[in-house]
Amino acid sequence: MNTNFETITFEDQDDFGVLTLNRPDKLNALNLKVLSELKEILTSLKSSSIKGMVFTGAGEKAFIAGADIAEMSDMTVEQAKEFGELGQSVTLLFEELPFPVIAAVNGFALGGGCEMAMSCDFIYASEAAVFGQPEVKLGLIPGFGGTQRLAKIIGRNFAKEIIYSGRNVALSEAKELGLVVKSFANKEELMAGAFKTLGKISRNSPKAIAISKSVMNDGNDLTVSLGLKVELEQFSEIFGSEDKKEGCQAFVEKRAANFTGK
Ligand code: COA
């Protein structure tokens, strides 16, 4: 797996990965290079055996301060379509990874930054976190999923108020809205908290986690009755897995399960 990138870093720490957007002088803004590198690493991580990943931003100020405004300022309609498609494909890749990804938001998560965080499984944040979809202030609209995912996470009316006003959303409000699951005093504690959660998750069946993730993401776009059909299919299928046999047997034998992910 290529881990030699200009604008991102990927570190493998035992069972877990840390993906860091590394363009702090531009507050980790998403340009074509960053998005292409994210696409490459996320595509190769689809077949990785890690059990979870933390996605964060380098520096003290920002997770990601949005799509790169300087780069967007000269884009034609055709180029914008390609840019939007690339950004959206990155968000879909986060959702397609067969392990959980925690967005560790350590500062500004604006525009594309908020959109990238929302495509992770859930968001943990430090006290410095600030969210928002300020695109309308630039005469734009969110293009990497913000019009869709924000409404699904916090409800359409709250999402409309935030997107139409382009205002910042501070940590306390982001928590009230359910955008942020847990908060921490600073970046160090944020990363430690994210790893602690991944540690707990990794004691469970990797197969069951991967299937829960895909069923929940797929179900998000379906009616409840269609979602139940997807759930039932996967619920029954998992009864043929080694992890199911091991998990149930370990419970009966009063011992810890030794899952293989098969
Ligand atoms: N695109 C391109 N460059 C960006 C950027 C973005 N979205 N956000 C920040 N930067 C750059 C700045 O241009 C500046 O570069 P420079 O030092 O070469 O001039 C650098 O990052 C530092 O940003 P700066 O604005 O000086 O920091 P600040 O602390 O004063 O303000 C923000 C922080 C986040 C409030 C401000 O940078 C901002 O409003 N950014 C744009 C947010 C946005 O609209 N995002 C959605 C885009 S669709």
Side-chain angles (χ1 to χ4, degrees):
M1 184 170 75
N2 174 27
T3 53
N4 189 18
F5 297 103
E6 262 175 53
T7 64
I8 59 172
T9 59
F10 177 77
E11 292 162 79
D12 209 332
Q13 297 185 2
D14 302 322
D15 281 342
F16 309 123
V18 183
L19 178 59
T20 305
L21 225 152
N22 195 13
R23 214 188 157 210
D25 55 322
K26 296 290 178 190
L27 305 189
N28 301 321
L30 302 166
N31 61 13
L32 279 165
K33 180 82 184 166
V34 176
L35 291 172
S36 306
E37 293 194 336
L38 281 174
K39 187 170 180 172
E40 184 181 339
I41 187 81
L42 294 174
T43 302
S44 54
L45 283 169
K46 273 178 155 188
S47 53
S48 152
S49 60
I50 59 170
K51 291 184 175 167
M53 186 167 83
V54 180
F55 178 41
T56 194
E60 297 304 311
K61 252 172 119 172
F63 171 69
I64 299 169
D68 192 308
I69 301 168
E71 199 174 73
M72 284 194 298
S73 65
D74 293 330
M75 272 182 198
T76 63
V77 169
E78 289 73 27
Q79 288 168 329
K81 189 157 189 201
E82 278 175 31
F83 188 59
E85 275 171 357
L86 179 59
Q88 288 186 355
S89 72
V90 170
T91 67
L92 289 170
L93 280 164
F94 275 117
E95 293 182 345
E96 287 161 13
L97 290 174
F99 49 77
V101 182
I102 302 179
V105 173
N106 53 306
F108 291 109
L110 300 175
C114 190
E115 291 168 311
M116 288 298 151
M118 289 191 293
S119 66
C120 297
D121 289 279
F122 47 88
I123 302 175
Y124 280 5
S126 74
E127 295 286 341
V130 177
F131 297 84
Q133 296 287 163
E135 288 86 349
V136 294
K137 292 185 168 176
L138 301 162
L140 298 169
I141 70 164
F144 301 165
T147 60
Q148 306 304 306
R149 290 194 182 90
L150 187 61
K152 288 206 162 120
I153 294 170
I154 66 170
R156 193 194 59 171
N157 294 1
F158 288 112
K160 282 183 169 176
E161 194 263 349
I162 287 167
I163 288 175
Y164 297 172
S165 65
R167 71 181 176 83
N168 284 350
V169 177
L171 175 67
S172 56
E173 188 187 357
K175 278 174 82 177
E176 274 169 32
L177 289 167
L179 185 59
V180 168
V181 168
K182 232 183 210 178
S183 65
F184 301 85
N186 53 46
K187 184 165 183 188
E188 204 183 345
E189 288 182 25
L190 167 64
M191 294 303 281
F195 276 111
K196 193 170 169 199
T197 297
L198 286 182
K200 279 187 197 155
I201 292 173
S202 71
R203 291 200 280 276
N204 301 325
S205 154
K207 189 175 182 77
I209 305 282
I211 293 176
S212 300
K213 174 170 175 167
S214 81
V215 169
M216 289 172 87
N217 284 342
D218 290 351
N220 208 28
D221 298 326
L222 299 173
T223 60
V224 170
S225 61
L226 285 174
L228 288 176
K229 287 196 172 82
V230 176
E231 184 186 79
L232 184 57
E233 198 175 308
Q234 296 299 323
F235 170 75
S236 51
E237 201 149 303
I238 210 163
F239 276 67
S241 71
E242 287 178 21
D243 273 6
K244 179 262 164 191
K245 260 183 232 140
E246 167 63 10
C248 293
Q249 196 146 0
F251 178 82
V252 173
E253 293 169 4
K254 299 188 188 302
R255 61 171 173 83
N258 184 16
F259 292 116
T260 58
K262 290 184 185 144

